[in-house]
Amino acid sequence: MNGKVLVLGGGKDQVPLLEILNDRGYETIIIDYFENPVAKDTAAKHYQQSSHDAEIVEQVAMAEGVRFICSSGNDPVVPVIAKVSAKLGLNTPLSYEAALMATDKSLMKKRFSESKIPSARIYNHRHLKNIGDIRFPIIVKPVNGTSSKGVIRFDNINALEEYLATIDDLSALLIEEFIEGPEISVDCISYEGKGIVINVTELAQVPNLEGFSFLYTESPFRANDIVLQKINDIAQKISDAFSINFGPYFFQAKVRGNEVCVIEIGARIAGGNKPQTIKAATGFDILSVYVDMLEVNPKKLDFNFNNRFVSKVHIYVRSGIVGEIKPPEEVYITSIEIHKKLGEPVGEGVAAKDRVLSMLLEADTYEVLQKYRKWVFSNTIVNDQDGHDLVRRDLYKN
């Protein structure tokens, strides 16, 4: 037994991390508010408490005598891990101050400006009082939101004014310009003072959507050398600006011509089972390396990645009750995640929570990957209990 490790959260993203820790001989402990979280059976012990409460986490960590505290794909616990780890003298990638900057979008934007990290223009409360100063389209997002949750696009003053009239606390919102162009997610790791880009993924949005959600992701991102160099430069600037001592982080950005404009960062491993996608695309096991670094295990890392063409596709449906889920049986589908159960009612939404299933596809060339994805969109079956097709075929026409 190597000792005990405390993992904050007990969702799907924590399961692969727990499996690695179990394989290394640790006694794994989770803190999760739910009585039966997904990861409960993977951990040795479960505390049914809030993983967002630093006092509770500190009490559990001290009582159990854990070697380190960690998580994966979990933004709200980043400051908790930093605060408690520093207080108990445990190894951690971030200071508490840096963790707060990395999880509060207002502080994050301020740090971008101070560190000359290119980012979208933001509008403050003065602009809201003189709304005519705002150039549309714009994006409104919660200061403490994660990923695309709560993000709304507005194209005119009338729609924005109607929305703002429903908000009690305008300081809880961040308003910024909307930047046209492909959106990318860049997975990085800080190692020996360097911010290293591991994988760049393009995010294909659901068409004609007021909010933001994705039909599929695709990597590697196809870009010219100027853009790729700017992505690498930004990765280093973020590592320096947020004092990421070691370990994984990511940033999302828009590409407009040869310019790269950062939307936000995450001082953690991205969620949505991203480690699996990274490993499929590059051969790099980011979860295992994260644990190595927390163990202060001085392994020399190899950053000669074996790039493959990878796409993660998501299936959305119309309203109904799920009667049948049948993905295509193809060798290039290397992973299937089913998010809904038979007999479960589903709505017509296109947020991440509305996905019925997701599939990871791999190919040797970009052209073949496109062909595979089109086939999967056309041949995935999700029927209601009467055998009627529920798949939103209209979303996948292109």
Side-chain angles (χ1 to χ4, degrees):
M1 182 70 67
N2 279 335
K4 300 178 180 181
V5 173
L6 181 58
V7 175
L8 301 191
K12 289 182 180 179
D13 283 318
Q14 284 76 58
V15 171
L17 175 60
L18 287 163
E19 290 172 343
I20 289 171
L21 293 166
N22 290 338
D23 288 344
R24 296 194 185 192
Y26 289 104
E27 181 181 342
T28 50
I29 303 158
I30 62 171
I31 299 179
D32 191 285
Y33 186 79
F34 292 102
E35 182 179 357
N36 291 298
V38 173
K40 182 174 182 177
D41 291 340
T42 312
K45 187 181 291 187
H46 167 220
Y47 284 84
Q48 190 183 350
Q49 301 281 354
S50 172
S51 60
H52 300 181
D53 189 320
E55 290 186 9
I56 289 173
V57 172
E58 181 183 343
Q59 290 169 7
V60 172
M62 289 182 65
E64 295 288 352
V66 300
R67 182 169 170 181
F68 53 84
I69 307 169
C70 59
S71 192
S72 178
N74 192 345
D75 208 54
V77 304
V78 170
V80 177
I81 293 173
K83 184 177 185 178
V84 176
S85 296
K87 190 170 183 179
L88 301 182
L90 305 178
N91 195 26
T92 187
L94 291 171
S95 69
Y96 179 55
E97 180 185 16
L100 288 177
M101 287 192 295
T103 50
D104 182 298
K105 289 183 172 63
S106 181
L107 296 176
M108 185 189 299
K109 283 284 190 177
K110 183 180 178 183
R111 193 61 174 158
F112 288 169
S113 178
E114 293 168 345
S115 305
K116 294 182 170 54
I117 295 170
S119 182
R121 178 187 177 187
I122 60 172
Y123 295 100
N124 57 32
H125 296 157
R126 177 180 60 80
H127 292 106
L128 294 181
K129 292 177 182 178
N130 299 281
I131 206 164
D133 294 340
I134 296 178
R135 294 178 61 184
F136 291 87
I138 61 163
I139 297 297
V140 177
K141 60 178 74 172
V143 168
N144 293 312
T146 60
S147 186
S148 61
K149 293 178 182 177
V151 180
I152 306 173
R153 170 177 169 163
F154 293 94
D155 292 306
N156 58 71
I157 289 178
N158 292 339
L160 176 62
E161 287 180 329
E162 288 178 11
Y163 173 76
L164 293 178
T166 68
I167 304 299
D168 294 327
D169 182 10
L170 293 179
S171 66
L173 297 178
L174 184 70
I175 300 177
E176 65 183 22
E177 67 171 324
F178 175 76
I179 297 173
E180 300 287 351
E183 183 169 341
I184 59 173
S185 179
V186 184
D187 301 294
C188 311
I189 196 159
S190 184
Y191 176 68
E192 295 183 346
K194 295 181 179 179
I196 298 167
V197 173
I198 302 169
N199 189 45
V200 184
T201 303
E202 183 172 356
L203 312 176
Q205 292 188 8
V206 175
N208 304 316
L209 185 65
E210 190 177 69
F212 292 86
S213 190
F214 306 104
L215 279 182
Y216 63 88
T217 65
E218 180 178 275
S219 59
F221 175 57
R222 297 182 302 154
N224 62 44
D225 290 343
I226 296 173
V227 169
L228 294 177
Q229 184 58 55
K230 287 184 177 181
I231 290 171
N232 281 281
D233 292 343
I234 289 170
Q236 185 63 56
K237 283 185 176 183
I238 290 171
S239 179
D240 294 339
F242 291 85
S243 302
I244 302 174
N245 301 318
F246 65 85
Y249 62 101
F250 70 95
F251 65 92
Q252 289 187 212
K254 282 292 195 80
V255 179
R256 180 170 54 190
N258 286 333
E259 298 303 316
V260 180
C261 189
V262 178
I263 300 170
E264 63 186 33
I265 74 159
R268 56 176 174 85
I269 298 172
N273 207 8
K274 194 62 178 294
Q276 180 190 51
T277 303
I278 294 170
K279 192 171 183 180
T282 68
F284 189 82
D285 189 343
I286 196 168
L287 275 176
S288 291
V289 171
Y290 173 46
V291 174
D292 288 343
M293 290 178 164
L294 288 168
E295 291 177 328
V296 197
N297 190 351
K299 291 182 179 179
K300 196 69 177 176
L301 296 182
D302 180 10
F303 295 110
N304 293 313
F305 305 127
N306 300 317
N307 288 321
R308 280 180 59 76
F309 292 86
V310 173
S311 182
K312 190 164 191 178
V313 302
H314 306 298
I315 302 299
Y316 301 95
V317 297
R318 295 179 290 105
S319 298
I321 297 176
V322 178
E324 179 184 14
I325 300 174
K326 187 178 180 182
E329 296 179 1
E330 302 290 348
V331 293
Y332 54 79
I333 302 175
T334 57
S335 173
I336 299 172
E337 300 169 58
I338 296 178
H339 309 300
K340 304 295 183 184
K341 298 176 182 177
L342 298 184
E344 184 174 350
V346 290
E348 200 160 320
V350 287
K353 65 180 179 60
D354 300 308
R355 296 166 184 164
V356 173
L357 72 157
S358 302
M359 292 164 278
L360 188 66
L361 320 181
E362 297 184 36
D364 293 324
T365 68
Y366 174 72
E367 291 73 21
V368 171
L369 185 67
Q370 285 186 306
K371 179 181 175 182
Y372 287 169
R373 188 167 55 234
K374 185 176 181 180
W375 174 262
V376 166
F377 283 149
S378 298
N379 292 276
T380 296
I381 295 172
V382 181
N383 290 334
D384 65 15
Q385 292 179 317
D386 295 320
H388 299 136
D389 183 21
L390 288 178
V391 177
R392 288 282 307 275
R393 306 287 175 192
D394 58 302
L395 299 178
Y396 307 108
K397 288 179 180 178
N398 296 323

